[in-house]
Amino acid sequence: MTAVTALFKRVKETIAERILVKSWLDDETRTQALQKLNSLRGRFHVSPDFYNGTLLAHEMAEVVIDSDDFIATVLRRFRQMRSLQDPSPLRRNAIIRCHYPYSVHAYYESSTNTIGIPLAMMTSWAWSWDGGPAFAVHATLGSVIAHEILHAFDFHRRRLPMEPDRDVDELLRVTPNSWKRLETRIECVARLYARSFWRKVQSYGNDVAVQFDWNMTKNENVADIGALQIAHKTWYTLTNGKDRSLPGLEGLRPSQLFFISAAQVHCVNTTIEAYVFSVESDYHSPHPERINSVMMNSQAFVEAFRCPLGTKMNPPNKCTVW
């Protein structure tokens, strides 16, 4: 928890530095953005009871896992954890946090200006905390933290917690001048995605042209691009680019391993049907476009892999908001 909190703090510091220098922000909008960032809190879903072996054994004795019916197993456990009869500390923690075993997503909660990071996500890269390379946790969990923080600045207004001495909700208001400059940057990302990401897929013997809807994915796309750049800057500030390698990967520099680690977060093997469904219904860009889009907009990625200017992964005009 201490390590996660420290990472959260470092990422917030990097975002604050970005807010101070971004040219699309005028002084009024910049001040409000910094105030909102300063009040933003992290909620990390770890209870001390998870380290209580006796309590865990008692809880797990109730768990029945049917290897042939995943959905039934999840629903059964859901009902157990929602039971109000003799709730254990583990159950109380799960209920209070509204976080259940089958949910492993991070999120931004606008009503409290808080990001939530689940236990499963924090332990996925736990090996990198104790003497491991810093790039691993910064590229993965650091990117996730930065992504969720940036959702506090999505393109629709979000409410801040009510100040105790005021009768109104605090809003992040973007002035007309800042909004005009911001729209130019958003349009840059939209054009790049439209130009770079469409493809034909074979579905039931037919060629289907697929291109996802920028209007539906724009908040996630901008957060993806900004999060990678912020996570990389946070890592580089901490290490100056000097980091440990990994066994068997000594031929790759830490700067390259950072981006390979970041790509692993969204690396999936999916069917054509699942891909098309994702395009139609998901607020995130589909894979592999989600990975390639953030990399091709990162100057640090281009330098790490020495991509020639004008190639797909090094377009002449890169787009970013943060």
Side-chain angles (χ1 to χ4, degrees):
M1 278 296 292
T2 302
V4 177
T5 303
L7 177 61
F8 171 69
K9 181 180 178 181
R10 289 198 300 273
V11 170
K12 280 185 66 175
E13 289 171 351
T14 302
I15 295 175
E17 293 170 1
R18 295 266 175 149
I19 291 174
L20 286 171
V21 300
K22 285 300 173 181
S23 59
W24 64 269
L25 291 160
D26 60 20
D27 289 342
E28 181 181 346
T29 307
R30 194 186 320 277
T31 298
Q32 291 209 31
L34 287 170
Q35 289 174 347
K36 185 167 191 180
L37 178 66
N38 184 60
S39 67
L40 186 142
R41 297 291 178 262
R43 181 183 298 159
F44 308 113
H45 296 281
V46 177
S47 166
D49 298 308
F50 279 101
Y51 303 100
N52 184 331
T54 302
L55 182 60
L56 284 173
H58 173 73
E59 283 289 312
M60 293 305 294
E62 299 182 11
V63 177
V64 178
I65 298 177
D66 184 348
S67 59
D68 296 323
D69 197 336
F70 171 77
I71 297 298
T73 299
V74 168
L75 291 176
R76 188 182 305 111
R77 187 57 180 154
F78 176 84
R79 294 189 188 100
Q80 289 172 339
M81 297 191 74
R82 292 290 292 180
S83 173
L84 298 180
Q85 297 180 0
D86 187 29
S88 73
L90 283 177
R91 294 185 189 182
R92 286 199 301 272
N93 181 70
I95 293 169
I96 291 171
R97 303 298 191 186
C98 298
H99 212 75
Y100 302 98
Y102 53 81
S103 179
V104 294
H105 297 291
Y107 59 89
Y108 171 71
E109 189 176 86
S110 60
S111 61
T112 58
N113 197 32
T114 302
I115 68 165
I117 306 294
L119 175 64
M121 192 169 285
M122 289 186 285
T123 57
S124 295
W125 305 291
W127 58 269
S128 65
W129 294 118
D130 188 15
F135 66 74
V137 74
H138 282 78
T140 52
L141 186 56
S143 291
V144 171
I145 290 173
H147 177 103
E148 299 308 329
I149 292 176
L150 291 181
H151 276 314
F153 307 99
D154 280 346
F155 305 129
H156 50 280
R157 294 179 179 178
R158 291 189 179 274
R159 301 168 66 183
L160 277 174
M162 186 177 293
E163 295 183 2
D165 57 341
R166 297 181 65 179
D167 295 326
V168 297
D169 291 326
E170 193 71 25
L171 298 175
L172 176 66
R173 294 183 177 87
V174 179
T175 64
N177 286 336
S178 284
W179 183 254
K180 185 176 181 179
R181 291 190 290 267
L182 174 59
E183 281 186 315
T184 301
R185 291 171 177 254
I186 297 170
E187 183 62 26
C188 175
V189 180
R191 288 196 303 268
L192 180 65
Y193 274 60
R195 184 170 62 250
S196 304
F197 300 123
W198 69 274
R199 59 171 166 161
K200 288 185 177 180
V201 299
Q202 277 280 330
S203 180
Y204 298 102
N206 298 313
D207 285 333
V208 180
V210 179
Q211 185 174 32
F212 54 88
D213 184 356
W214 159 254
N215 288 318
M216 187 167 75
T217 62
K218 64 180 179 180
N219 281 326
E220 297 295 340
N221 295 338
V222 169
D224 280 343
I225 294 171
L228 181 74
Q229 296 173 358
I230 288 163
H232 182 270
K233 177 63 176 177
T234 304
W235 167 73
Y236 195 87
T237 299
L238 180 69
T239 65
N240 198 31
K242 298 177 174 61
D243 208 343
R244 294 182 59 183
S245 185
L246 292 174
L249 297 175
E250 291 83 1
L252 294 170
R253 298 186 300 277
S255 59
Q256 295 173 320
L257 289 169
F258 175 93
F259 292 104
I260 292 172
S261 298
Q264 292 300 308
V265 176
H266 303 299
C267 184
V268 298
N269 183 18
T270 186
T271 64
I272 292 298
E273 290 76 16
Y275 175 83
V276 173
F277 181 78
S278 172
V279 169
E280 292 293 330
S281 61
D282 200 337
Y283 287 100
H284 303 85
S285 296
H287 311 284
E289 288 83 359
R290 187 175 184 185
I291 299 170
N292 291 338
S293 62
V294 297
M295 302 298 175
M296 68 196 301
N297 281 292
S298 168
Q299 185 61 34
F301 169 84
V302 168
E303 293 171 358
F305 288 94
R306 299 169 184 168
C307 303
L309 183 64
T311 57
K312 179 177 180 179
M313 297 306 293
N314 186 11
N317 298 316
K318 295 175 177 57
C319 308
T320 183
V321 172
W322 299 104

